[in-house]
């Protein structure tokens, strides 16, 4: 059984390892300022936050700012998490559809 520190690390390492291949196949569009968090960090926050039962991005952001800011120094105000999480959401959707083995009609 992992403690929360180990769990965050394992999730991050898994996301980071698999995200590169998805981004190679489906390159993201980048506009505006460079994000404070890497895509793999945003996905880690989203996945761990959901696992811990936080109901939305705002709650996830509050939790990580309060308890894990040292690990995610690019995590600024909540408005910086929302734009960053939009594109990884598309990656999550692509990853889910790429692994979906159900027949298409």
């Amino acid at each position: 059984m992992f403690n929360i520190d180990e769990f965050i690390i394992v999730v991050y390492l898994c996301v980071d390892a698999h995200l590169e291949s998805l981004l190679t196949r489906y390159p993201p569009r980048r506009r505006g300022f460079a994000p404070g968090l890497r895509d793999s960090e945003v996905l880690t926050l989203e996945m761990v936050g959901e696992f811990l039962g936080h109901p939305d991005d705002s709650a996830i952001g509050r939790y990580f700012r309060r308890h894990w800011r040292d690990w995610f120094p690019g995590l600024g105000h909540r408005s910086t998490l929302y734009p960053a999480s939009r594109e990884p959401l598309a990656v999550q959707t692509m990853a889910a559809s790429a692994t979906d083995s159900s027949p298409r009609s």
Side-chain angles (χ1 to χ4, degrees), residues 5-42:
D5 297 16
E6 295 166 334
F7 180 66
I8 292 171
I9 291 168
V10 167
V11 170
Y12 174 79
L13 291 174
C14 289
V15 167
D16 199 52
H18 295 287
L19 185 62
E20 285 304 313
S21 65
L22 279 173
L23 293 179
T24 301
R25 289 176 59 192
Y26 306 101
R29 293 179 297 197
R30 300 282 185 201
R31 292 182 248 169
F33 297 105
L37 295 171
R38 297 180 60 221
D39 291 338
S40 53
E41 291 174 315
V42 172

Side-chain angles (χ1 to χ4, degrees), residues 57-79:
D57 287 345
S58 181
I60 292 170
R62 279 193 307 272
Y63 172 77
F64 278 96
R65 277 190 297 281
R66 186 176 304 130
H67 300 288
W68 302 100
R69 185 177 289 278
D70 290 346
W71 284 27
F72 301 95
L75 182 61
H77 187 268
R78 71 181 184 145
S79 62

Side-chain angles (χ1 to χ4, degrees), residues 82-105:
Y82 296 151
S85 67
R86 286 188 198 126
E87 206 156 295
L89 180 60
V91 172
Q92 287 173 336
T93 304
M94 287 184 290
S97 66
T99 58
D100 182 14
S101 60
S102 62
R104 306 262 187 246
S105 49

